[in-house]
Amino acid sequence: MSWIKESNRPKHLLYAIPAGALLTILFVAGLAAGMEFKDKQWGGKWDWLDIAATLIGGLIGQVIQILVLILII
C-alpha cells in the first residue's frame, strides 16, 4: 500500500470522503475522472492510481453515509 502515499494521492483519498458521505460513490467516480482529465489537459498523465485513491475515499464516505442512515432510521 505504499502507492497511496506517493504524489498527492492522500489528498485524493481525503477529499473524496466528504463527497462520498454527502452524495454517492458514482459522484466520486465522476470527480475522479474529472480530476484526471484536468491533469491530462494541463500536460500531466492519466493516473489510474489517483482514481483508485479517490474511489477508496469515496467508498469510505459512502460507508459513513450508510452508517448514519442506519442510526437515523
Side-chain angles (χ1 to χ4, degrees):
M1 289 274 299
S2 64
W3 63 271
I4 198 99
K5 295 177 184 172
E6 296 172 2
S7 183
N8 64 344
R9 292 187 189 122
K11 288 182 183 178
H12 280 263
L13 187 124
L14 290 176
Y15 292 149
I17 292 173
L22 295 174
L23 299 163
T24 66
I25 191 71
L26 294 175
F27 180 78
V28 173
L31 284 177
M35 287 188 287
E36 287 310 306
F37 178 77
K38 181 241 348 146
D39 288 347
K40 183 122 173 95
Q41 291 298 305
W42 282 92
K45 62 181 181 74
W46 189 272
D47 190 355
W48 288 104
L49 293 177
D50 281 355
I51 290 178
T54 307
L55 290 175
I56 290 169
L59 184 61
I60 293 168
Q62 191 79 75
V63 168
I64 292 169
Q65 180 190 63
I66 291 168
L67 292 174
V68 168
L69 289 174
I70 288 172
L71 290 174
I72 290 173
I73 297 175

